[in-house]
Amino acid sequence: MGQRAQAAGGCLTALLGAGLGLGVWSYGVQDRFYRFEASPDWSVLYAELPLAVLGGVAAALGVWALVQRVRA
């Protein structure tokens, strides 16, 4: 595989991982954001969201690198 194809594959994998991280984070976010008889919990947005997206990107790129290593 050429270098451009590998770079494009890595970028698409990172984008897919970010989307999957966002999807996992969004499951049940309404319940985590609005607690019973409490004000909104803003840490759901500024702490959990970036960690979920970055975690998805890291996991996807880790799997992509492992697949590239096995194929070589």
Side-chain angles (χ1 to χ4, degrees):
M1 187 179 335
Q3 288 182 350
R4 289 185 185 201
Q6 283 182 339
C11 289
L12 290 174
T13 302
L15 186 63
L16 179 66
L20 287 175
L22 182 63
V24 168
W25 173 82
S26 67
Y27 181 76
V29 73
Q30 189 76 12
D31 296 334
R32 290 190 318 264
F33 188 68
Y34 292 111
R35 306 266 182 206
F36 179 73
E37 299 230 357
S39 62
D41 185 12
W42 293 104
S43 69
V44 171
L45 295 177
Y46 70 79
E48 290 181 16
L49 176 61
L51 287 176
V53 172
L54 289 175
V57 169
L61 287 178
V63 170
W64 180 78
L66 182 65
V67 168
Q68 292 298 317
R69 174 78 54 145
V70 170
R71 286 183 60 189

